[in-house]
Amino acid sequence: MTPVDALPEWHALLAHAGTAGRVHLREQFAADPDRAARFAFRHGPFLLDLSRQRLDAAAVERLLALAVAADLRGWIDRLFAGDEVNHTERQAALHTVLRMPAGTVARVGGEDLVPAVERERQRMAGMVERLHAGHWRGYSGRAITDIVNIGVGGSDLGPAMVCDALHDFTDPRAAKLRVHFASSMDGSQLNRLLRVLDPETTLFIVSSKSFSTADTLANARTAREWLLAHQADEALVLRQHFVAVTASPDKAVAWGIAADHILLFWRWVGGRYSLWSTIGFPIAVQVGMARFRELLAGAHAIDEHFRTAAFAQNLPVLLGLAGVWNTTFLGIRAQAVLPYDGRLAMFPAYLEQLAMESNGKGVDRAGRPVAYATCPVLWGGVGPNAQHAFYQLLHQGTVPVTCDFIAPVRREFPLHGIDAVAGEQARRELASQHRLALANCLAQSRLLAMGDVDPSRPAWRHYHGNQPSTTLLLDELTPFALGGLIALYEHKVFVESVLWNINPFDQWGVELGKQVANETLSVLDSAGGAIDDAATAALVAHMRRVLGGEGA
Ligand code: F6P
């Protein structure tokens, strides 16, 4: 296949970026009174505003032509059909099947995958029911009150982010259950939890697709030892206090987890695309199965839109095209994700993995080094908080950054446990706080685009503007809308990968570090051992001196 950057459509974009890409957003708006409407796209609960991207109609046309030339249509079809789109691992990427409604058909290699997905979901629902009903009991017979998800990466970030975002939607039957997350390899989070949790009433979910991730297994071993320190009957402890969620059930069984406490998912679900599977167990515990299904339905609605809508009206396609335009053609190598809603505080961290583990690649599908920029550095934070932290760089720094402003328009404030009169007053205050956040969202995107250079003011009070941004409004943050929001970004990342001709579904870049860490651990663990790297050897020697009590 012709490398993408040899396509005439690619060169047309390069040429266009050299001219139109230099026009300040202020001038773009002045030249086109319809710009705001022209670049606004409505679908379901979303309004996507791309008018503050440094795009003009010709750029969009050329990007759409590149999408056609790169066979985006064919790639979308192959993704949904279950072809081996992850060719380096000989895997399909069928996360979309996980959110197909029960009763629909997803035939891959002659087999309909939907019934198996639904069966596993029913098993998960059974466990959720036992927990909600207070029937899941610890070794002493008391009902489980605390659930700790032990996992990392995709086995942590997705469920943790969704549980946080949907806290207002907590199932009343889960009111007495608390869901916690422990991911850090060094045990810091777990240690803090173990200090306050009651071993008699704590259930651990060991979430790991591979069931071989060092971080997760280390935390799981610590949890097991903590329980055994309180109850020596290991079989009882393992049975009553551990669930595994994995695509490697043999390893979970070998670890000691009861077969009927193992929830499955499949190798064809990528870790960072897995929250829709049984990896979503903590979500289902917190919000209940009905809302978990609403989350899936929201994602499915976006899948259908992505699969069928014309590219020029297709939200994930447009998001992906804007991403490629910024990174590759305008040379903007940084992206800030800025939710104006504290419930989405973990969304940027979730997107870091989704975007950078997927598209942080430097070779194309044929293994050729690429000569163009791929995934930008992505980070972010709750917008209003970040205004008091890193926005200075956005407004006056020397780095071009594209920003995604995300905000729900409507917001309800369920106030639990506050009496009616005081509650009503507080609710009014919260509603005005929401409007305050929205006003700030609008102010920041406007200022970043338009700037403000008043020559009567000193240079340090000038705002040059022309920092592009996308505004994505949700009517309301519901399970359905959140499912759609996540799916929008999943597909955006896929669209970008197609235009960059890279495989977004593998992550070979993280493998070697695991191997070197194992080798280094054996050196650190033993008194001797050699390391053929001068810097590491010197640091190890220093660590040994400190550990040996000799000081630095
Ligand atoms: O090391 C990266 C990674 O493989 C991620 O892709 C994955 O989400 C994470 O580790 C956790 O993997 P597992 O679910 O197999 O423990």
Side-chain angles (χ1 to χ4, degrees):
M1 186 201 154
T2 319
V4 275
D5 54 345
L7 293 169
E9 290 81 359
W10 186 279
H11 288 276
L13 277 160
L14 277 178
H16 193 65
T19 52
R22 291 174 200 273
V23 180
H24 196 289
L25 279 163
R26 235 180 352 246
E27 294 166 45
Q28 302 262 27
F29 275 95
D32 179 3
D34 292 334
R35 184 174 173 85
R38 196 186 305 285
F39 286 94
F41 304 88
R42 176 86 169 143
H43 178 77
F46 301 103
L47 178 81
L48 172 66
D49 175 14
L50 293 174
S51 67
R52 288 178 176 136
Q53 287 294 343
R54 278 154 51 184
L55 289 162
D56 59 6
V60 173
E61 206 173 291
R62 282 162 206 216
L63 285 161
L64 289 167
L66 179 64
V68 172
D71 191 26
L72 179 58
R73 170 56 55 213
W75 280 105
I76 294 173
D77 291 345
R78 286 191 280 282
L79 175 75
F80 281 87
D83 285 8
E84 269 182 19
V85 288
N86 178 2
H87 66 295
T88 65
E89 295 180 319
R90 308 218 52 196
Q91 287 293 335
L94 279 167
H95 41 285
T96 50
V97 169
L98 300 169
R99 45 230 194 184
M100 286 178 63
T104 50
V105 176
R107 204 167 290 288
V108 178
E111 187 196 348
D112 178 12
L113 300 178
V114 177
V117 170
E118 192 48 36
R119 239 188 340 268
E120 218 42 38
R121 195 167 292 136
Q122 289 298 347
R123 292 188 61 224
M124 178 171 95
M127 292 193 190
V128 170
E129 176 56 31
R130 275 177 70 194
L131 286 162
H132 283 182
H135 292 165
W136 194 310
R137 293 174 189 278
Y139 59 77
S140 67
R142 288 170 59 203
I144 294 297
T145 56
D146 290 87
I147 293 154
V148 182
N149 187 82
I150 293 179
V152 73
S155 301
D156 166 71
L157 289 165
M161 180 271 288
V162 174
C163 281
D164 199 38
L166 297 184
H167 199 269
D168 288 350
F169 294 86
T170 298
D171 189 312
R173 298 182 73 213
K176 288 200 179 116
L177 288 168
R178 286 169 298 267
V179 179
H180 315 271
F181 291 85
S183 58
S184 74
M185 171 184 268
D186 66 320
S188 312
Q189 293 162 311
L190 186 62
N191 183 36
R192 194 175 288 184
L193 286 170
L194 298 186
R195 277 193 247 143
V196 293
L197 294 180
D198 184 341
E200 291 182 34
T201 58
T202 300
L203 176 73
F204 293 95
I205 308 171
V206 186
S207 285
S208 176
K209 180 180 174 185
S210 60
F211 218 85
S212 59
T213 301
D215 325 44
T216 299
L217 293 182
N219 277 322
R221 280 194 302 272
T222 300
R224 181 170 58 189
E225 291 308 319
W226 176 71
L227 286 162
L228 289 174
H230 296 88
Q231 165 56 260
D233 183 342
E234 186 166 15
L236 180 66
V237 158
L238 285 170
R239 167 130 204 100
Q240 300 306 112
H241 293 268
F242 283 94
V243 168
V245 184
T246 186
S248 311
D250 297 354
K251 290 188 182 143
V253 168
W255 195 86
I257 295 180
D260 60 337
H261 286 178
I262 297 175
L263 290 171
L264 296 175
F265 64 111
W266 299 269
R267 273 172 52 76
W268 42 260
V269 182
R272 53 193 173 274
Y273 301 87
S274 63
L275 72 89
W276 321 101
S277 71
T278 46
I279 286 286
F281 183 35
I283 305 172
V285 170
Q286 190 179 297
V287 302
M289 283 308 293
R291 291 207 158 122
F292 184 70
R293 286 183 191 279
E294 287 170 23
L295 182 83
L296 300 179
H300 178 67
I302 289 297
D303 293 341
E304 285 304 283
H305 168 72
F306 179 50
R307 207 170 56 77
T308 58
F311 288 170
Q313 300 298 323
N314 190 314
L315 269 53
V317 170
L318 293 165
L319 278 167
L321 295 182
V324 171
W325 172 248
N326 281 326
T327 315
T328 310
F329 295 104
L330 297 186
I332 301 173
R333 309 278 167 83
Q335 181 181 2
V337 177
L338 306 163
Y340 273 70
D341 186 315
R343 295 170 297 176
L344 291 172
M346 296 179 73
F347 194 60
Y350 169 79
L351 281 190
E352 281 174 10
Q353 187 198 16
L354 179 64
M356 296 199 281
E357 200 174 63
S358 296
N359 282 343
K361 312 281 165 68
V363 295
D364 71 10
R365 285 185 164 271
R368 295 173 294 223
V370 298
Y372 43 86
T374 59
C375 188
V377 172
L378 184 151
W379 91 108
V382 176
N385 295 19
Q387 286 175 203
H388 300 283
F390 60 75
Y391 272 43
Q392 167 64 38
L393 176 145
L394 302 182
H395 285 295
Q396 292 185 321
T398 54
V399 188
V401 180
T402 177
C403 300
D404 283 10
F405 291 92
I406 303 172
V409 178
R410 266 196 316 267
R411 179 154 186 194
E412 298 292 330
F413 288 96
L415 290 180
H416 306 292
I418 299 182
D419 75 72
V421 178
E424 204 34 55
Q425 195 51 36
R427 200 188 304 275
R428 266 199 291 278
E429 288 299 333
L430 283 169
S432 80
Q433 283 193 252
H434 175 59
R435 288 195 299 279
L436 182 64
L438 287 181
N440 272 268
C441 178
L442 296 172
Q444 292 295 332
S445 54
R446 170 182 172 175
L447 193 48
L448 282 169
M450 306 307 251
D452 181 10
V453 180
D454 177 346
S456 69
R457 290 195 180 141
W460 51 87
R461 297 195 60 186
H462 291 178
Y463 300 78
H464 294 287
N466 211 27
Q467 290 278 45
S469 69
T470 293
T471 299
L472 186 56
L473 298 179
L474 289 64
D475 290 349
E476 204 172 336
L477 183 62
T478 59
F480 184 87
L482 181 64
L485 177 70
I486 301 166
L488 274 180
Y489 276 92
E490 284 180 349
H491 294 319
K492 167 201 193 257
V493 164
F494 180 69
V495 170
E496 290 173 332
S497 79
V498 171
L499 269 71
W500 288 324
N501 191 28
I502 57 180
N503 177 3
F505 297 117
D506 62 10
Q507 55 282 319
W508 293 104
V510 299
E511 289 309 317
L512 189 54
K514 297 177 188 172
Q515 189 187 312
V516 175
N518 279 339
E519 291 158 13
T520 313
L521 178 62
S522 47
V523 174
L524 264 184
D525 272 351
S526 66
I531 283 188
D532 66 351
D533 167 72
T536 313
L539 291 168
V540 165
H542 173 79
M543 287 176 183
R544 284 211 182 112
R545 279 197 299 276
V546 174
L547 290 169
E550 292 172 35

